[in-house]
């Protein structure tokens, strides 16, 4: 059988429709590869905004010494901004569509493309949430319609998901995978299902983080620090939501919720409220964080914690595994007395916390429960300093918390405070995502290797979720998830059968 796959060298003229956050990045990327780009927007003002964003990105690359002035001018010379769609796409070998995520807009556009494009042109949509099958179904040549899903920032993130519908020809999918490689990306091929690989795993985790914030389990900074320091991710979930855009994120969650149901995808009310308030994140100047001022505002509570006095003595209840030995040495080295047992005057009692068990039980056993703080160290094992989770049972006194925070600051620890709930902050966020990843494997949608590649290249994970699961130990993950399920009553935390089976058998997902 002869293949009709179009080679990347045959794709010289590319039309990019929609110059928003993603479209302008994609146009930049394609023009950088030496191809001619027609950059299309519906109005002159949107066109100007998109081109300004694209120019700013190139200027930044010049300033950082990554691009010469001449190369920037050559790239810009290859981009022709227009607002006439029909004229813009007439010669295109490939059209990449990145317009707003509204099906009626897409259908109208694709009807126009049907008339205006060459019959052999490939039409690729960058949609992150809509059904590509539905988009393709309304066109005359659905075999040449597929998804080409980039990640924000498009010039930086290495992954591209190539999505085939039941109507997409294998040649189209193959041609897009080859073009993606030619643009310096790594393609992963998947079928058309809501969220594909990355968004189906990323968004429930982001949503979980918003729930932790809105139920006052942790501050936004601590939630972000737990993911960035505890898991080694490039940015915390709330910062990432602000980067992606809260409106886009809400729309993606709604689609996932409609397709899969269940609590993991039901958008957290706080996310909806921020969208109602038009606080869309970085692009609108404010979301979970405020980008209009260079220094983040600190709350009165932050101030009280930072200014609390460092205690003169600390009771440290040694555990059998010696988990607190190093901490004891650090505290002593800082000139603070370490007592092996609490006295009524101690004021701060530290116990080793275990994400599978309540610190409260240890606090009650020690006595003086209002003075007790649990401590749990997590790290990525890459030699970077890990995270200290200061775990606070509800009975811990505010003054005790302040002392523990002040002590951690004196010792130079990367510390967060967490409520006394199974998994604390880091493992609760991570293990729930690992469970989602195993569900995806169980459903036969993607292999463990593809899932790990997608999350590493699409979201900058240092290790993929299934590798992290193996490293944490499937049996350990199952125990924490079961405890999360028991405490919250949320069935989404029930370990999926494949995970439970691997945990029992001692099998790993990545060998
Ligand atoms: N455009 C172009 N280049 C950019 C950029 C942008 N918007 N932002 C950063 N860069 C470049 C920088 O110029 C720099 O390049 P060099 O190394 O060549 O100098 C490089 O990226 C690193 O940037 P910084 O040093 O400024 O910042 P950083 O190291 O903190 O990295 C980041 C920034 C790449 C965004 C990193 O934090 C990261 O990987 N974050 C995770 C992003 C992520 O998860 N994206 C996926 C979101 S989901 C999605 O997009 C799908 C969807 O459908 C919604």
């Amino acid at each position: 059988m002869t293949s009709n796959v179009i080679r990347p060298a045959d794709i010289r003229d590319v039309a990019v429709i929609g110059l928003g956050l993603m479209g302008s990045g994609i146009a930049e990327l394609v023009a950088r590869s030496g191809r001619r780009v027609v950059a299309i927007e519906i109005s002159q003002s949107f066109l100007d905004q998109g081109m300004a964003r694209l120019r700013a990105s190139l200027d930044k690359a010049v300033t950082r010494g990554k691009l010469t002035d001449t190369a920037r001018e050559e790239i810009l010379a290859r981009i022709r901004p227009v607002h006439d769609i029909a004229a813009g796409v007439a010669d295109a070998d490939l059209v990449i569509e990145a317009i707003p995520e509204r099906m009626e807009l897409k259908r109208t556009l694709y009807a126009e493309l049907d008339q205006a494009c060459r019959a052999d042109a490939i039409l690729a949509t960058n949609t992150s949430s809509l059904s590509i099958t539905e988009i393709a179904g309304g066109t005359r040549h659905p075999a040449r319609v597929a998804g080409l899903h980039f990640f924000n920032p498009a010039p930086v993130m290495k992954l591209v998901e190539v999505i085939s519908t039941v109507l997409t020809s294998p040649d189209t999918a193959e041609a897009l995978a080859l073009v993606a490689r030619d643009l310096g990306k790594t393609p992963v091929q998947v079928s058309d299902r809501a969220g594909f690989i990355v968004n189906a795993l990323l968004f429930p985790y982001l949503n979980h983080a918003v729930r932790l914030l809105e139920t006052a389990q942790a501050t936004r900074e601590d939630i972000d620090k737990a993911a960035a320091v505890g898991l080694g991710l490039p940015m915390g979930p709330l910062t990432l939501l602000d980067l992606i855009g809260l409106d886009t994120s809400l729309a993606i969650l709604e689609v996932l919720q409609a397709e899969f149901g269940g609590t993991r995808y039901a958008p957290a009310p706080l996310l909806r409220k921020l969208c109602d308030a038009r606080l869309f994140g970085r692009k609108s100047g404010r979301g979970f964080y405020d980008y209009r001022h260079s220094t983040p505002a600190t709350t009165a509570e932050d101030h009280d914690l930072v200014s609390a006095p460092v205690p003169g003595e600390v009771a440290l209840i040694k555990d059998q595994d010696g988990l607190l030995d190093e901490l004891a040495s650090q505290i002593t080295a800082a000139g603070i007395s370490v007592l092996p047992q609490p006295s009524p005057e101690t004021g701060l009692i530290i116990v080793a916390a275990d994400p599978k068990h309540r610190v409260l039980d240890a606090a009650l056993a020690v006595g003086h429960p209002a003075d007790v703080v649990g401590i749990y160290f997590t790290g990525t094992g890459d030699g970077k300093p890990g995270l200290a989770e200061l775990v606070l049972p509800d009975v811990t006194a505010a003054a005790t918390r302040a002392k523990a925070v002040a002590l951690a600051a004196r010792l130079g620890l990367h510390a967060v405070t967490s409520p006394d709930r199974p998994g604390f902050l880091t493992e609760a966020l991570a293990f729930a995502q690992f469970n989602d990843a195993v569900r995806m494997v169980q459903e036969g949608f993607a292999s463990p290797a593809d899932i790990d590649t997608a999350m590493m290249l699409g979201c900058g994970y240092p290790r993929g979720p299934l590798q992290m699961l193996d490293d944490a130990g499937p049996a350990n993950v199952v125990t924490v998830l079961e405890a999360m399920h028991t405490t919250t009553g949320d069935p989404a935390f029930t370990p999926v059968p494949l995970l439970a089976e691997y945990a029992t058998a001692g099998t790993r997902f990545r060998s």
Side-chain angles (χ1 to χ4, degrees), residues 400-439:
T400 308
R401 173 179 189 241
K403 282 180 201 154
V405 171
L407 174 68
R410 163 69 79 87
L411 300 181
L413 301 177
H414 287 297
V416 296
T417 55
S418 165
D420 188 17
R421 307 276 184 275
F424 310 137
L425 289 185
T426 309
E427 295 191 355
L429 283 167
F431 289 6
Q433 186 184 59
F434 300 169
N435 202 32
D436 294 338
V438 177
R439 189 178 297 111

Side-chain angles (χ1 to χ4, degrees), residues 64 79 249 381 419 467 480:
R64 293 171 75 116
I79 304 175
S249 302
Q467 182 64 60
V480 173

Side-chain angles (χ1 to χ4, degrees), residues 64 66 128 149 151-153 156-157 199 234-235 240 244 458-459:
R64 293 171 75 116
K66 304 280 171 186
S128 48
H149 187 220
F151 293 83
N152 189 2
V156 183
M157 306 316 287
N199 285 351
M235 45 177 49
L240 182 54
I244 295 166
C459 301

Side-chain angles (χ1 to χ4, degrees), residues 46-178:
F46 284 162
L47 205 51
D48 292 344
Q49 278 173 35
M51 287 304 293
R53 191 180 298 111
L54 194 156
R55 272 195 205 93
S57 175
L58 291 175
D59 289 349
K60 193 170 155 199
V62 172
T63 313
R64 293 171 75 116
K66 304 280 171 186
L67 198 67
T68 63
D69 277 321
T70 317
R72 172 185 51 196
E73 294 316 310
E74 283 169 2
I75 292 166
L76 284 170
R78 282 196 286 275
I79 304 175
R80 184 161 62 91
V82 305
H83 47 75
D84 179 343
I85 296 176
V89 301
D91 296 325
D93 303 306
L94 167 66
V95 176
I96 304 176
E97 167 271 305
I99 68 168
E101 298 281 60
R102 282 171 37 210
M103 186 53 87
E104 75 278 11
L105 293 181
K106 305 254 185 200
R107 293 200 82 119
T108 309
L109 173 67
Y110 280 79
E112 192 173 350
L113 295 180
D114 252 353
Q115 302 298 324
C117 289
R118 291 203 328 254
D120 62 343
I122 294 178
L123 307 187
T125 174
N126 181 56
T127 184
S128 48
S129 55
L130 297 180
S131 160
I132 301 170
T133 313
E134 196 178 336
I135 294 172
T139 64
R140 279 196 296 174
H141 305 292
R144 284 199 297 278
V145 180
L148 194 63
H149 187 220
F150 291 83
F151 293 83
N152 189 2
V156 183
M157 306 316 287
K158 289 287 171 219
L159 183 75
V160 169
E161 287 172 314
V162 175
I163 305 109
S164 293
T165 75
V166 285
L167 303 166
T168 307
S169 74
D171 286 348
T172 298
E174 188 56 22
L176 287 173
L178 290 172

Side-chain angles (χ1 to χ4, degrees), residues 213-260:
L213 180 68
E214 78 183 348
T215 53
Q217 310 235 5
T219 62
R220 59 184 183 181
E221 288 80 3
D222 278 2
I223 291 169
D224 276 350
K225 206 195 278 185
V229 181
L231 300 173
L233 304 186
M235 45 177 49
L238 303 172
T239 307
L240 182 54
L241 277 163
D242 276 354
L243 175 76
I244 295 166
L246 304 195
D247 48 346
T248 307
S249 302
L250 178 62
I252 292 171
L253 278 166
E254 281 171 341
V255 171
L256 290 167
Q257 164 73 2
E259 178 129 339
F260 301 116

Side-chain angles (χ1 to χ4, degrees), residues 352-393:
D354 175 343
K356 298 186 279 292
H357 302 291
R358 294 188 308 185
V359 170
L360 177 64
D361 297 322
L364 294 173
V366 164
H368 319 283
D371 299 343
V372 171
V373 170
I375 192 160
Y376 181 62
F377 292 100
T378 52
T380 52
D382 58 1
K384 290 191 194 144
L387 183 77
E389 295 196 61
L390 305 174
V391 185
L392 309 165

